[in-house]
Amino acid sequence: MSSKTYEEGTLVKHNVSMFKKYKYLLEELTRKNVRLKYRNSWLGIFWSFLQPLLNMIVLSVVFGGLFGKHSEYIICYPVFLFTGRLLYDFFSTSTKQAMTSFRRNAAIIKKVYVPKYMYPLSSIFSSFVTFSISILCYITVWIFFKLTGISGGANLTIDWHALLFFVPMILILIFSTGVGLILSVLCVYFRDIEYIWDVVIRLVFYMVPILYPMQNINKDGDRDWIVMVIKINPLYSMIELFRQSVLYGMPLSWKLLLYGSAVSIGTLAVGMIIFNWKSDDLIYHL
């Protein structure tokens, strides 16, 4: 065994042991972030249920007449919209929170030693808790439209494929963690990243089929390049996998699953490499 391989193995063991040592701190930081998000609000954590519902209502009213009517590719537009919006909101919120986690906790980082990755991780995990609560809102909305039949809700069906909903949820958690680690480091050195990312994430919202079905883009066959750009975006594969399981009741596409898994794991690996490379230097720039 070479000395380099031995050093890498030792580093991995050290990181694993440190994570186990501070895992309870990670849990506490996650709880704190969830509590602080809804501090001083009357409804508290109930906003995790109410906020996505209100967003769905507003977007359905604004875009329902444009994309939701007379579309053979949409079963129930409000539910179709909700499935895409849920995953996008988690990605947007978690990466933004992770990006600014060092600046928000700069005073503690300078005084107390804690593995620095605990701060972006706790921000992402707290957003995932909110995301999980929002799933309950989705179930409520699905049942409402199924029972009332409004907006084509009578055509909604469910089968055992819905049990696979956790697969895209795990993929987007891994992907968001990788992106969050990268952004958290970049934001320490370049504060403008926070404003640039805000613009990028807004652009992503319209570049992923959240408001519209993919089939509506290339009806005339002359926009193949737009379809290709959308499909390259990892969020597309994760949102589509989520819809396949909970909305369409069909098996998960192995191509989307393979692509989403490869990009998510690859992004996480890049994030860990960049973070380990700059972690010891971060404190001098806070």
Short mmCIF file of all heavy atoms in Angstrom, two decimals, residues 168-233:
data_model
loop_
_atom_site.label_atom_id
_atom_site.label_comp_id
_atom_site.label_asym_id
_atom_site.label_seq_id
_atom_site.Cartn_x
_atom_site.Cartn_y
_atom_site.Cartn_z
N PRO A 168 -36.38 10.24 -5.64
CA PRO A 168 -35.99 11.60 -6.07
C PRO A 168 -35.75 12.54 -4.89
O PRO A 168 -34.95 13.48 -5.01
CB PRO A 168 -37.17 12.07 -6.93
CG PRO A 168 -38.31 11.18 -6.56
CD PRO A 168 -37.71 9.87 -6.19
N MET A 169 -36.41 12.31 -3.76
CA MET A 169 -36.17 13.15 -2.59
C MET A 169 -34.73 12.97 -2.10
O MET A 169 -34.06 13.95 -1.75
CB MET A 169 -37.16 12.80 -1.47
CG MET A 169 -38.57 13.30 -1.73
SD MET A 169 -39.72 12.89 -0.39
CE MET A 169 -39.01 13.81 0.99
N ILE A 170 -34.25 11.75 -2.07
CA ILE A 170 -32.86 11.50 -1.65
C ILE A 170 -31.88 12.08 -2.66
O ILE A 170 -30.85 12.67 -2.28
CB ILE A 170 -32.63 9.99 -1.47
CG1 ILE A 170 -33.45 9.47 -0.29
CG2 ILE A 170 -31.15 9.68 -1.26
CD1 ILE A 170 -33.39 7.96 -0.11
N LEU A 171 -32.19 11.92 -3.95
CA LEU A 171 -31.30 12.46 -4.98
C LEU A 171 -31.16 13.97 -4.87
O LEU A 171 -30.05 14.51 -4.97
CB LEU A 171 -31.82 12.08 -6.37
CG LEU A 171 -31.71 10.61 -6.78
CD1 LEU A 171 -32.25 10.41 -8.19
CD2 LEU A 171 -30.27 10.12 -6.70
N ILE A 172 -32.28 14.65 -4.68
CA ILE A 172 -32.20 16.12 -4.61
C ILE A 172 -31.55 16.56 -3.31
O ILE A 172 -30.92 17.62 -3.25
CB ILE A 172 -33.60 16.75 -4.79
CG1 ILE A 172 -33.43 18.23 -5.19
CG2 ILE A 172 -34.44 16.63 -3.52
CD1 ILE A 172 -34.70 18.86 -5.68
N LEU A 173 -31.65 15.76 -2.25
CA LEU A 173 -30.94 16.07 -1.01
C LEU A 173 -29.43 15.97 -1.22
O LEU A 173 -28.68 16.86 -0.79
CB LEU A 173 -31.38 15.11 0.10
CG LEU A 173 -30.62 15.21 1.43
CD1 LEU A 173 -30.79 16.59 2.04
CD2 LEU A 173 -31.09 14.13 2.40
N ILE A 174 -28.99 14.92 -1.89
CA ILE A 174 -27.56 14.75 -2.17
C ILE A 174 -27.05 15.86 -3.08
O ILE A 174 -25.99 16.46 -2.84
CB ILE A 174 -27.30 13.37 -2.82
CG1 ILE A 174 -27.65 12.25 -1.84
CG2 ILE A 174 -25.84 13.25 -3.26
CD1 ILE A 174 -27.59 10.86 -2.46
N PHE A 175 -27.82 16.15 -4.13
CA PHE A 175 -27.42 17.19 -5.08
C PHE A 175 -27.36 18.57 -4.40
O PHE A 175 -26.40 19.33 -4.59
CB PHE A 175 -28.41 17.22 -6.24
CG PHE A 175 -28.10 18.25 -7.29
CD1 PHE A 175 -26.92 18.20 -8.01
CD2 PHE A 175 -29.00 19.28 -7.56
CE1 PHE A 175 -26.64 19.16 -8.98
CE2 PHE A 175 -28.73 20.22 -8.52
CZ PHE A 175 -27.55 20.17 -9.24
N SER A 176 -28.35 18.88 -3.58
CA SER A 176 -28.39 20.17 -2.88
C SER A 176 -27.24 20.28 -1.89
O SER A 176 -26.69 21.38 -1.70
CB SER A 176 -29.73 20.33 -2.16
OG SER A 176 -30.80 20.31 -3.06
N THR A 177 -26.87 19.17 -1.27
CA THR A 177 -25.75 19.19 -0.33
C THR A 177 -24.45 19.52 -1.06
O THR A 177 -23.65 20.33 -0.58
CB THR A 177 -25.62 17.83 0.38
OG1 THR A 177 -26.84 17.53 1.08
CG2 THR A 177 -24.46 17.84 1.37
N GLY A 178 -24.24 18.90 -2.21
CA GLY A 178 -23.03 19.19 -2.98
C GLY A 178 -22.98 20.64 -3.43
O GLY A 178 -21.96 21.32 -3.27
N VAL A 179 -24.10 21.14 -3.99
CA VAL A 179 -24.15 22.54 -4.43
C VAL A 179 -24.00 23.48 -3.24
O VAL A 179 -23.31 24.50 -3.31
CB VAL A 179 -25.47 22.82 -5.18
CG1 VAL A 179 -25.60 24.30 -5.52
CG2 VAL A 179 -25.56 21.98 -6.45
N GLY A 180 -24.64 23.13 -2.11
CA GLY A 180 -24.57 23.97 -0.92
C GLY A 180 -23.16 24.09 -0.38
O GLY A 180 -22.72 25.17 0.04
N LEU A 181 -22.40 22.99 -0.38
CA LEU A 181 -21.01 23.03 0.08
C LEU A 181 -20.16 23.92 -0.82
O LEU A 181 -19.34 24.71 -0.33
CB LEU A 181 -20.43 21.61 0.12
CG LEU A 181 -20.94 20.68 1.21
CD1 LEU A 181 -20.37 19.27 1.04
CD2 LEU A 181 -20.59 21.21 2.60
N ILE A 182 -20.36 23.80 -2.11
CA ILE A 182 -19.59 24.64 -3.05
C ILE A 182 -19.92 26.12 -2.85
O ILE A 182 -19.02 26.97 -2.76
CB ILE A 182 -19.90 24.21 -4.51
CG1 ILE A 182 -19.42 22.79 -4.76
CG2 ILE A 182 -19.24 25.18 -5.49
CD1 ILE A 182 -19.85 22.22 -6.10
N LEU A 183 -21.20 26.44 -2.76
CA LEU A 183 -21.61 27.83 -2.60
C LEU A 183 -21.17 28.40 -1.26
O LEU A 183 -20.81 29.59 -1.18
CB LEU A 183 -23.13 27.94 -2.73
CG LEU A 183 -23.73 27.69 -4.11
CD1 LEU A 183 -25.25 27.70 -4.05
CD2 LEU A 183 -23.23 28.73 -5.11
N SER A 184 -21.18 27.59 -0.21
CA SER A 184 -20.79 28.08 1.11
C SER A 184 -19.33 28.52 1.13
O SER A 184 -18.98 29.51 1.78
CB SER A 184 -21.03 27.00 2.17
OG SER A 184 -20.19 25.88 1.96
N VAL A 185 -18.50 27.80 0.40
CA VAL A 185 -17.08 28.18 0.31
C VAL A 185 -16.91 29.42 -0.57
O VAL A 185 -16.21 30.37 -0.20
CB VAL A 185 -16.24 27.00 -0.25
CG1 VAL A 185 -14.80 27.46 -0.49
CG2 VAL A 185 -16.27 25.83 0.71
N LEU A 186 -17.54 29.42 -1.71
CA LEU A 186 -17.40 30.55 -2.64
C LEU A 186 -17.89 31.85 -2.02
O LEU A 186 -17.30 32.91 -2.23
CB LEU A 186 -18.18 30.26 -3.93
CG LEU A 186 -17.64 29.16 -4.84
CD1 LEU A 186 -18.56 28.96 -6.04
CD2 LEU A 186 -16.22 29.49 -5.31
N CYS A 187 -18.98 31.76 -1.23
CA CYS A 187 -19.56 32.97 -0.66
C CYS A 187 -18.66 33.62 0.38
O CYS A 187 -18.74 34.82 0.63
CB CYS A 187 -20.92 32.64 -0.05
SG CYS A 187 -21.93 34.09 0.34
N VAL A 188 -17.78 32.82 1.00
CA VAL A 188 -16.83 33.38 1.96
C VAL A 188 -15.81 34.27 1.25
O VAL A 188 -15.43 35.33 1.75
CB VAL A 188 -16.12 32.26 2.73
CG1 VAL A 188 -14.97 32.82 3.58
CG2 VAL A 188 -17.11 31.51 3.62
N TYR A 189 -15.37 33.85 0.07
CA TYR A 189 -14.36 34.60 -0.67
C TYR A 189 -14.96 35.66 -1.60
O TYR A 189 -14.34 36.68 -1.84
CB TYR A 189 -13.52 33.62 -1.50
CG TYR A 189 -12.72 32.66 -0.67
CD1 TYR A 189 -13.21 31.39 -0.36
CD2 TYR A 189 -11.47 33.00 -0.17
CE1 TYR A 189 -12.48 30.50 0.40
CE2 TYR A 189 -10.72 32.13 0.59
CZ TYR A 189 -11.24 30.88 0.89
OH TYR A 189 -10.51 30.01 1.66
N PHE A 190 -16.15 35.36 -2.12
CA PHE A 190 -16.79 36.28 -3.06
C PHE A 190 -18.22 36.52 -2.61
O PHE A 190 -19.11 35.72 -2.90
CB PHE A 190 -16.77 35.70 -4.48
CG PHE A 190 -15.43 35.21 -4.92
CD1 PHE A 190 -15.14 33.85 -4.92
CD2 PHE A 190 -14.45 36.09 -5.34
CE1 PHE A 190 -13.90 33.38 -5.32
CE2 PHE A 190 -13.20 35.63 -5.75
CZ PHE A 190 -12.93 34.27 -5.73
N ARG A 191 -18.47 37.62 -1.92
CA ARG A 191 -19.80 37.89 -1.37
C ARG A 191 -20.84 38.11 -2.47
O ARG A 191 -22.04 37.94 -2.24
CB ARG A 191 -19.74 39.12 -0.46
CG ARG A 191 -18.81 38.94 0.74
CD ARG A 191 -19.31 37.85 1.66
NE ARG A 191 -18.38 37.54 2.73
CZ ARG A 191 -18.40 38.12 3.91
NH1 ARG A 191 -19.31 39.05 4.17
NH2 ARG A 191 -17.53 37.78 4.84
N ASP A 192 -20.37 38.50 -3.66
CA ASP A 192 -21.31 38.74 -4.76
C ASP A 192 -22.00 37.46 -5.23
O ASP A 192 -23.02 37.53 -5.93
CB ASP A 192 -20.60 39.38 -5.96
CG ASP A 192 -20.12 40.79 -5.63
OD1 ASP A 192 -20.62 41.37 -4.66
OD2 ASP A 192 -19.24 41.29 -6.35
N ILE A 193 -21.45 36.31 -4.86
CA ILE A 193 -22.05 35.03 -5.24
C ILE A 193 -23.49 34.95 -4.75
O ILE A 193 -24.37 34.38 -5.43
CB ILE A 193 -21.23 33.86 -4.67
CG1 ILE A 193 -19.88 33.75 -5.38
CG2 ILE A 193 -21.99 32.54 -4.77
CD1 ILE A 193 -20.00 33.36 -6.84
N GLU A 194 -23.77 35.54 -3.61
CA GLU A 194 -25.12 35.50 -3.04
C GLU A 194 -26.13 36.14 -3.99
O GLU A 194 -27.24 35.61 -4.18
CB GLU A 194 -25.13 36.21 -1.70
CG GLU A 194 -26.48 36.19 -1.01
CD GLU A 194 -26.44 36.85 0.36
OE1 GLU A 194 -25.31 37.19 0.84
OE2 GLU A 194 -27.51 37.03 0.95
N TYR A 195 -25.77 37.25 -4.60
CA TYR A 195 -26.68 37.95 -5.50
C TYR A 195 -26.73 37.28 -6.87
O TYR A 195 -27.79 37.23 -7.51
CB TYR A 195 -26.25 39.41 -5.64
CG TYR A 195 -26.07 40.08 -4.30
CD1 TYR A 195 -24.80 40.34 -3.77
CD2 TYR A 195 -27.18 40.44 -3.52
CE1 TYR A 195 -24.64 40.93 -2.53
CE2 TYR A 195 -27.03 41.03 -2.29
CZ TYR A 195 -25.76 41.27 -1.79
OH TYR A 195 -25.61 41.85 -0.57
N ILE A 196 -25.59 36.76 -7.30
CA ILE A 196 -25.56 36.05 -8.58
C ILE A 196 -26.41 34.78 -8.52
O ILE A 196 -27.17 34.48 -9.44
CB ILE A 196 -24.10 35.70 -8.96
CG1 ILE A 196 -23.30 36.99 -9.20
CG2 ILE A 196 -24.06 34.80 -10.20
CD1 ILE A 196 -21.82 36.75 -9.43
N TRP A 197 -26.30 34.06 -7.40
CA TRP A 197 -27.06 32.82 -7.26
C TRP A 197 -28.56 33.10 -7.21
O TRP A 197 -29.36 32.31 -7.70
CB TRP A 197 -26.62 32.07 -6.02
CG TRP A 197 -27.30 30.75 -5.83
CD1 TRP A 197 -28.19 30.38 -4.87
CD2 TRP A 197 -27.15 29.59 -6.67
NE1 TRP A 197 -28.61 29.09 -5.04
CE2 TRP A 197 -27.98 28.57 -6.15
CE3 TRP A 197 -26.39 29.32 -7.82
CZ2 TRP A 197 -28.07 27.31 -6.72
CZ3 TRP A 197 -26.48 28.05 -8.40
CH2 TRP A 197 -27.30 27.08 -7.85
N ASP A 198 -28.94 34.22 -6.63
CA ASP A 198 -30.35 34.57 -6.58
C ASP A 198 -30.92 34.74 -7.99
O ASP A 198 -32.05 34.32 -8.27
CB ASP A 198 -30.53 35.87 -5.78
CG ASP A 198 -32.00 36.18 -5.53
OD1 ASP A 198 -32.68 35.34 -4.91
OD2 ASP A 198 -32.46 37.27 -5.93
N VAL A 199 -30.14 35.32 -8.89
CA VAL A 199 -30.56 35.47 -10.28
C VAL A 199 -30.59 34.11 -10.98
O VAL A 199 -31.53 33.79 -11.72
CB VAL A 199 -29.63 36.44 -11.03
CG1 VAL A 199 -30.00 36.51 -12.51
CG2 VAL A 199 -29.69 37.83 -10.40
N VAL A 200 -29.54 33.31 -10.74
CA VAL A 200 -29.46 32.00 -11.38
C VAL A 200 -30.63 31.11 -10.98
O VAL A 200 -31.24 30.43 -11.82
CB VAL A 200 -28.12 31.31 -11.01
CG1 VAL A 200 -28.12 29.85 -11.46
CG2 VAL A 200 -26.94 32.05 -11.62
N ILE A 201 -30.97 31.12 -9.71
CA ILE A 201 -32.03 30.23 -9.22
C ILE A 201 -33.39 30.65 -9.76
O ILE A 201 -34.28 29.83 -9.97
CB ILE A 201 -32.03 30.20 -7.67
CG1 ILE A 201 -32.62 28.88 -7.16
CG2 ILE A 201 -32.77 31.36 -7.09
CD1 ILE A 201 -31.80 27.67 -7.47
N ARG A 202 -33.56 31.95 -10.01
CA ARG A 202 -34.81 32.41 -10.64
C ARG A 202 -34.88 31.96 -12.09
O ARG A 202 -35.94 31.59 -12.59
CB ARG A 202 -34.91 33.94 -10.56
CG ARG A 202 -35.16 34.47 -9.16
CD ARG A 202 -35.18 35.98 -9.16
NE ARG A 202 -35.32 36.51 -7.80
CZ ARG A 202 -36.48 36.73 -7.20
NH1 ARG A 202 -37.61 36.46 -7.84
NH2 ARG A 202 -36.53 37.21 -5.97
N LEU A 203 -33.73 32.00 -12.75
CA LEU A 203 -33.67 31.53 -14.14
C LEU A 203 -33.96 30.04 -14.22
O LEU A 203 -34.67 29.58 -15.13
CB LEU A 203 -32.29 31.85 -14.73
CG LEU A 203 -32.04 31.42 -16.17
CD1 LEU A 203 -33.00 32.13 -17.12
CD2 LEU A 203 -30.59 31.69 -16.57
N VAL A 204 -33.43 29.28 -13.26
CA VAL A 204 -33.65 27.83 -13.23
C VAL A 204 -35.14 27.50 -13.12
O VAL A 204 -35.63 26.54 -13.72
CB VAL A 204 -32.87 27.19 -12.07
CG1 VAL A 204 -33.31 25.75 -11.82
CG2 VAL A 204 -31.37 27.24 -12.34
N PHE A 205 -35.87 28.32 -12.38
CA PHE A 205 -37.31 28.07 -12.18
C PHE A 205 -38.05 28.01 -13.51
O PHE A 205 -38.95 27.19 -13.69
CB PHE A 205 -37.91 29.17 -11.30
CG PHE A 205 -39.39 29.03 -11.09
CD1 PHE A 205 -39.91 28.07 -10.24
CD2 PHE A 205 -40.27 29.88 -11.76
CE1 PHE A 205 -41.29 27.94 -10.05
CE2 PHE A 205 -41.64 29.76 -11.58
CZ PHE A 205 -42.15 28.79 -10.73
N TYR A 206 -37.67 28.88 -14.44
CA TYR A 206 -38.37 28.93 -15.72
C TYR A 206 -37.75 27.98 -16.75
O TYR A 206 -38.36 27.70 -17.79
CB TYR A 206 -38.36 30.36 -16.27
CG TYR A 206 -39.16 31.31 -15.41
CD1 TYR A 206 -38.53 32.18 -14.52
CD2 TYR A 206 -40.55 31.32 -15.45
CE1 TYR A 206 -39.26 33.04 -13.71
CE2 TYR A 206 -41.29 32.17 -14.65
CZ TYR A 206 -40.64 33.03 -13.78
OH TYR A 206 -41.38 33.87 -12.98
N MET A 207 -36.53 27.50 -16.48
CA MET A 207 -35.87 26.59 -17.41
C MET A 207 -36.20 25.13 -17.13
O MET A 207 -35.84 24.25 -17.92
CB MET A 207 -34.35 26.80 -17.36
CG MET A 207 -33.89 28.11 -17.95
SD MET A 207 -32.10 28.26 -17.97
CE MET A 207 -31.63 26.92 -19.05
N VAL A 208 -36.85 24.86 -16.00
CA VAL A 208 -37.27 23.49 -15.67
C VAL A 208 -38.78 23.43 -15.83
O VAL A 208 -39.49 24.37 -15.45
CB VAL A 208 -36.86 23.14 -14.23
CG1 VAL A 208 -37.31 21.74 -13.87
CG2 VAL A 208 -35.35 23.27 -14.07
N PRO A 209 -39.32 22.36 -16.40
CA PRO A 209 -40.78 22.27 -16.60
C PRO A 209 -41.56 22.13 -15.30
O PRO A 209 -42.00 21.05 -14.94
CB PRO A 209 -40.94 21.03 -17.50
CG PRO A 209 -39.71 20.23 -17.29
CD PRO A 209 -38.62 21.22 -17.00
N ILE A 210 -41.69 23.25 -14.60
CA ILE A 210 -42.50 23.30 -13.39
C ILE A 210 -43.87 23.85 -13.72
O ILE A 210 -44.90 23.30 -13.33
CB ILE A 210 -41.82 24.19 -12.33
CG1 ILE A 210 -40.49 23.57 -11.89
CG2 ILE A 210 -42.74 24.39 -11.12
CD1 ILE A 210 -39.67 24.45 -10.97
N LEU A 211 -43.90 24.92 -14.51
CA LEU A 211 -45.15 25.56 -14.89
C LEU A 211 -45.77 24.94 -16.13
O LEU A 211 -46.97 25.08 -16.36
CB LEU A 211 -44.92 27.05 -15.14
CG LEU A 211 -44.39 27.89 -13.98
CD1 LEU A 211 -44.05 29.30 -14.47
CD2 LEU A 211 -45.41 27.96 -12.86
N TYR A 212 -44.96 24.27 -16.92
CA TYR A 212 -45.42 23.78 -18.22
C TYR A 212 -44.91 22.36 -18.44
O TYR A 212 -43.89 21.96 -17.88
CB TYR A 212 -44.88 24.69 -19.34
CG TYR A 212 -43.38 24.88 -19.26
CD1 TYR A 212 -42.51 23.98 -19.85
CD2 TYR A 212 -42.83 25.96 -18.56
CE1 TYR A 212 -41.13 24.14 -19.76
CE2 TYR A 212 -41.45 26.13 -18.46
CZ TYR A 212 -40.62 25.22 -19.06
OH TYR A 212 -39.26 25.38 -18.95
N PRO A 213 -45.60 21.59 -19.26
CA PRO A 213 -45.09 20.24 -19.60
C PRO A 213 -44.01 20.33 -20.67
O PRO A 213 -44.05 21.21 -21.53
CB PRO A 213 -46.33 19.52 -20.13
CG PRO A 213 -47.20 20.61 -20.66
CD PRO A 213 -46.94 21.82 -19.79
N MET A 214 -43.06 19.44 -20.61
CA MET A 214 -41.96 19.43 -21.57
C MET A 214 -42.46 19.29 -23.00
O MET A 214 -41.91 19.89 -23.94
CB MET A 214 -41.00 18.28 -21.24
CG MET A 214 -39.90 18.07 -22.26
SD MET A 214 -38.65 19.37 -22.21
CE MET A 214 -37.63 18.74 -20.88
N GLN A 215 -43.54 18.53 -23.19
CA GLN A 215 -44.03 18.26 -24.55
C GLN A 215 -44.51 19.52 -25.26
O GLN A 215 -44.57 19.55 -26.49
CB GLN A 215 -45.17 17.24 -24.49
CG GLN A 215 -44.74 15.85 -24.04
CD GLN A 215 -44.70 15.73 -22.54
OE1 GLN A 215 -44.80 16.72 -21.81
NE2 GLN A 215 -44.56 14.50 -22.04
N ASN A 216 -44.86 20.57 -24.51
CA ASN A 216 -45.36 21.80 -25.13
C ASN A 216 -44.25 22.63 -25.77
O ASN A 216 -44.54 23.54 -26.54
CB ASN A 216 -46.07 22.66 -24.09
CG ASN A 216 -47.46 22.15 -23.79
OD1 ASN A 216 -47.85 21.09 -24.25
ND2 ASN A 216 -48.23 22.89 -23.00
N ILE A 217 -43.00 22.32 -25.45
CA ILE A 217 -41.90 23.15 -25.92
C ILE A 217 -41.58 22.89 -27.38
O ILE A 217 -41.33 23.81 -28.15
CB ILE A 217 -40.63 22.89 -25.06
CG1 ILE A 217 -40.91 23.29 -23.62
CG2 ILE A 217 -39.44 23.66 -25.60
CD1 ILE A 217 -39.78 23.00 -22.68
N ASN A 218 -41.60 21.63 -27.77
CA ASN A 218 -41.09 21.27 -29.09
C ASN A 218 -42.17 20.66 -29.98
O ASN A 218 -41.95 19.67 -30.66
CB ASN A 218 -39.92 20.28 -28.93
CG ASN A 218 -39.01 20.27 -30.14
OD1 ASN A 218 -38.89 21.26 -30.84
ND2 ASN A 218 -38.36 19.15 -30.38
N LYS A 219 -43.35 21.27 -29.99
CA LYS A 219 -44.44 20.74 -30.81
C LYS A 219 -44.12 20.79 -32.29
O LYS A 219 -44.50 19.91 -33.06
CB LYS A 219 -45.72 21.54 -30.54
CG LYS A 219 -46.39 21.21 -29.20
CD LYS A 219 -47.69 21.94 -29.06
CE LYS A 219 -48.41 21.53 -27.78
NZ LYS A 219 -49.71 22.24 -27.62
N ASP A 220 -43.38 21.82 -32.70
CA ASP A 220 -43.08 21.98 -34.13
C ASP A 220 -41.77 21.31 -34.52
O ASP A 220 -41.40 21.31 -35.70
CB ASP A 220 -43.01 23.47 -34.49
CG ASP A 220 -44.32 24.18 -34.21
OD1 ASP A 220 -45.38 23.53 -34.36
OD2 ASP A 220 -44.31 25.37 -33.84
N GLY A 221 -41.05 20.77 -33.57
CA GLY A 221 -39.81 20.04 -33.87
C GLY A 221 -38.63 20.91 -34.19
O GLY A 221 -37.63 20.42 -34.73
N ASP A 222 -38.70 22.22 -33.91
CA ASP A 222 -37.59 23.13 -34.25
C ASP A 222 -36.91 23.69 -33.01
O ASP A 222 -36.15 24.66 -33.11
CB ASP A 222 -38.09 24.27 -35.13
CG ASP A 222 -39.23 25.07 -34.47
OD1 ASP A 222 -39.73 24.61 -33.43
OD2 ASP A 222 -39.58 26.14 -35.00
N ARG A 223 -37.17 23.10 -31.85
CA ARG A 223 -36.57 23.62 -30.62
C ARG A 223 -35.86 22.51 -29.85
O ARG A 223 -35.92 22.44 -28.63
CB ARG A 223 -37.64 24.26 -29.74
CG ARG A 223 -38.33 25.46 -30.38
CD ARG A 223 -39.44 26.00 -29.52
NE ARG A 223 -40.10 27.14 -30.15
CZ ARG A 223 -41.18 27.73 -29.65
NH1 ARG A 223 -41.73 27.29 -28.53
NH2 ARG A 223 -41.73 28.76 -30.29
N ASP A 224 -35.18 21.65 -30.58
CA ASP A 224 -34.49 20.53 -29.95
C ASP A 224 -33.42 21.01 -28.98
O ASP A 224 -33.17 20.37 -27.95
CB ASP A 224 -33.85 19.63 -31.01
CG ASP A 224 -34.90 18.89 -31.83
OD1 ASP A 224 -36.02 18.73 -31.32
OD2 ASP A 224 -34.60 18.50 -32.97
N TRP A 225 -32.78 22.12 -29.29
CA TRP A 225 -31.70 22.61 -28.44
C TRP A 225 -32.24 23.08 -27.08
O TRP A 225 -31.57 22.92 -26.06
CB TRP A 225 -30.95 23.75 -29.13
CG TRP A 225 -31.76 25.01 -29.32
CD1 TRP A 225 -32.60 25.29 -30.35
CD2 TRP A 225 -31.83 26.13 -28.43
NE1 TRP A 225 -33.18 26.53 -30.17
CE2 TRP A 225 -32.72 27.07 -29.01
CE3 TRP A 225 -31.22 26.44 -27.21
CZ2 TRP A 225 -33.01 28.28 -28.40
CZ3 TRP A 225 -31.50 27.65 -26.61
CH2 TRP A 225 -32.40 28.56 -27.19
N ILE A 226 -33.47 23.62 -27.06
CA ILE A 226 -34.06 24.04 -25.79
C ILE A 226 -34.36 22.82 -24.93
O ILE A 226 -34.10 22.81 -23.73
CB ILE A 226 -35.34 24.85 -26.04
CG1 ILE A 226 -35.03 26.12 -26.84
CG2 ILE A 226 -36.00 25.21 -24.71
CD1 ILE A 226 -36.25 26.97 -27.14
N VAL A 227 -34.91 21.79 -25.57
CA VAL A 227 -35.20 20.55 -24.84
C VAL A 227 -33.92 19.95 -24.27
O VAL A 227 -33.90 19.47 -23.13
CB VAL A 227 -35.90 19.54 -25.78
CG1 VAL A 227 -36.07 18.19 -25.08
CG2 VAL A 227 -37.25 20.07 -26.23
N MET A 228 -32.84 20.00 -25.04
CA MET A 228 -31.57 19.45 -24.58
C MET A 228 -31.04 20.21 -23.38
O MET A 228 -30.56 19.61 -22.40
CB MET A 228 -30.54 19.48 -25.72
CG MET A 228 -29.20 18.86 -25.35
SD MET A 228 -28.03 18.86 -26.74
CE MET A 228 -28.93 17.80 -27.89
N VAL A 229 -31.14 21.55 -23.41
CA VAL A 229 -30.68 22.37 -22.30
C VAL A 229 -31.46 22.05 -21.03
O VAL A 229 -30.90 21.94 -19.93
CB VAL A 229 -30.81 23.87 -22.64
CG1 VAL A 229 -30.58 24.73 -21.41
CG2 VAL A 229 -29.82 24.25 -23.73
N ILE A 230 -32.77 21.87 -21.17
CA ILE A 230 -33.62 21.56 -20.01
C ILE A 230 -33.26 20.19 -19.43
O ILE A 230 -33.15 20.02 -18.21
CB ILE A 230 -35.10 21.60 -20.41
CG1 ILE A 230 -35.52 23.04 -20.72
CG2 ILE A 230 -35.98 21.03 -19.29
CD1 ILE A 230 -36.94 23.18 -21.22
N LYS A 231 -33.05 19.21 -20.30
CA LYS A 231 -32.77 17.86 -19.84
C LYS A 231 -31.39 17.74 -19.19
O LYS A 231 -31.17 16.85 -18.35
CB LYS A 231 -32.89 16.87 -21.00
CG LYS A 231 -34.33 16.64 -21.44
CD LYS A 231 -34.42 15.55 -22.50
CE LYS A 231 -35.87 15.25 -22.84
NZ LYS A 231 -36.01 14.18 -23.85
N ILE A 232 -30.47 18.61 -19.57
CA ILE A 232 -29.14 18.60 -18.94
C ILE A 232 -29.23 19.02 -17.49
O ILE A 232 -28.46 18.55 -16.64
CB ILE A 232 -28.18 19.52 -19.73
CG1 ILE A 232 -27.84 18.89 -21.07
CG2 ILE A 232 -26.90 19.77 -18.94
CD1 ILE A 232 -26.98 19.77 -21.96
N ASN A 233 -30.19 19.89 -17.17
CA ASN A 233 -30.36 20.36 -15.80
C ASN A 233 -30.75 19.18 -14.90
O ASN A 233 -31.77 18.53 -15.13
CB ASN A 233 -31.46 21.42 -15.77
CG ASN A 233 -31.56 22.11 -14.42
OD1 ASN A 233 -31.23 21.55 -13.38
ND2 ASN A 233 -32.03 23.34 -14.43
#
